[in-house]
Amino acid sequence: MTDGGAEGATVESILHTDFLSESVVLAGREGLGRVVDRLNLIENPEGIRFWIGAHDLVLTTGFALAQSTEPLSSFVSAAHSVGVAGIVIHFDEDSTTIDADTRAVADELELPLIAVSESFALDHILARGVRDRARQQVRAMYRSERLRRLLVAKMVAGGGVAELASAAAAELDLAVLMTTSDGRRLATAGSDEEVRALCRSSALDGTGRLKTDSTDGGLGLRTTDEGAIAVCAISANGIDHGRVAAFSRHRQLSTQDLYAVDAAAAVFALAVTRDLALSTIEEKHRANFLRDLLLGRGGEHAHAVAHAQRFGWNIGRPVVVVVIEPAPGDDVTRQAPDRMPLVDRQMMAFSGALAQRDPSAAIAALGTETVIMMGAGPNTVNAIRDIIESVRGDGGGGRQPFAVGISRPCTSVEDIPGIYGQARTALKVGRQIYGTWAVTAFDDLGVFRLLSLVENDDELTSFTKETLHELTEQTVEAQDMRKTLEMLLATNINIAETARNLHFHYNTLRYRVVKLEKILGPFTERPDLRLDLSLALKIMAMRGIDQHM
């Protein structure tokens, strides 16, 4: 790139030279005072972000602009955003005008649009170096087109991201890394030496993730401690699918390399979109079969086990069902059009954590819940809690509150609907008792299992009021007396032990017992009344009745 004008030159001053003496200002006249540092020939408007810079006077042709797939007004807006001084358009017989919308945008942005005729000459002294710049662009376009065709052929032949990364690395003679949008590695290719240098570079963190949210691993060209890196986004339909990074420890990467990596990213986007579509179809079949199992429509045991093996699931062993359900309410991220539904994000997060512990487990998102069917053993509940801890707060839906229910084990496909009901019951009751982050096993429910079968809340409310009387009120005194009653029942009316546990004086507790019996009856003498009181307290804990009495 060669400077094109004297220091302090403006668009207007260049208009007064014989270089642009026969030009016509089409729009943006208010911006003629913009400073020009150099001339820059653009043969491909769609590569504008790679080739132009601030204070460039951009030279292009009407034919080149006509080949763009985007509106010309977008080209003008993009040029303005990087500080271009003006755009000079060489018209020919194939293209002779600029549309009104584009002129309106240029006027609004005060970006000069200048037309020149056939007499325009690129051999003028002000245009020295421009042809070299144009040749660089043409070489980059051919190189990128060759790479694009190569990768498209690989993809059409069924190649996945690993094959595409290998092909790109071989064609560019660089190390190539493909990641998710948050930098998690999906594929790496290139010589071992280059790949090791890339992994050591400051563009990756200690866990091997590309630093997509920092300067070191962000989009564009830069130099790291180990070499040079070019990073482009993999995006399709406005959704950010990941990153492609090219790396070299032997040479400085250029704009031409970044242009080629961007072409590769476009093909990677096609491959990712294809794989997502196929995955969606397969996931639908998985979810449908798992739903059939939970509803008792999976068929005979041997047939269901064999069918599950096609999905990589082992349900011929003892299994438990785990149900994960987000807390009721709106998903705070669902407004974003580029985000998956919360249940799908949570399913993906649990799927990743589950794969490390039980790769033969079944998992699917079913409506408002994620269902897992995994192998049962003596430490199953602890393993599930470990999986939950690895998901909670780690993105992928983990930051949104969810409750978990765990069933008993079963050994037959015919019993799966029953243990699914157990897991649903454990989740429902556990959330009512322990809150939105509850993790509850069916075996831990005790009498709550029976109470959960009573669907008539009015009947439970009536029983609780008739048994506890004013202790159901939402006052500090009533809550304090309920706590005393719970401890008395827990210690089988051992007054001395209850006093110690509640840090009361013995006589103080005796006084409270007398007061409680005036309200509730002689529960210290009647085991049947103590049972009723215990059930009433559990109903309040399980159904939250004390919140609306």
Side-chain angles (χ1 to χ4, degrees), residues 127-250:
R128 63 182 184 274
V130 169
R131 290 193 181 279
D132 289 338
R133 181 65 167 172
R135 280 193 291 269
Q136 291 178 26
Q137 293 181 33
V138 170
R139 283 195 294 269
M141 289 168 59
Y142 276 112
R143 183 187 186 210
S144 298
E145 179 62 14
R146 172 186 166 88
L147 176 62
R148 186 191 68 81
R149 290 178 180 275
L150 174 67
L151 295 182
V152 168
K154 287 280 185 183
M155 188 194 72
V156 171
V161 294
E163 290 83 359
L164 293 180
S166 295
E171 180 68 15
L172 297 174
D173 193 23
L174 298 169
V176 171
L177 168 68
M178 180 186 176
T179 76
T180 60
S181 56
D182 61 352
R184 287 181 288 117
R185 190 181 311 183
L186 296 177
T188 309
S191 70
D192 293 342
E193 179 187 4
E194 294 278 20
V195 170
R196 283 194 296 269
L198 170 60
C199 294
R200 292 194 305 266
S201 75
S202 57
L204 275 63
D205 65 18
T207 66
R209 289 194 181 195
L210 182 69
K211 298 177 182 176
T212 57
D213 55 353
S214 73
T215 302
D216 289 339
L219 300 176
L221 282 171
R222 61 189 44 82
T223 301
T224 72
D225 50 349
E226 293 285 341
I229 190 169
V231 182
C232 290
I234 301 171
S235 61
N237 297 323
I239 299 177
D240 185 0
H241 291 294
R243 299 288 183 271
V244 175
F247 176 87
S248 175
R249 65 188 301 262
H250 299 297

Side-chain angles (χ1 to χ4, degrees), residues 93-115:
E93 58 184 16
D94 294 323
S95 54
T96 59
T97 187
I98 294 295
D99 62 89
D101 287 342
T102 301
R103 291 198 302 270
V105 170
D107 282 332
E108 181 181 353
L109 299 176
E110 299 182 0
L111 178 67
L113 286 184
I114 302 166

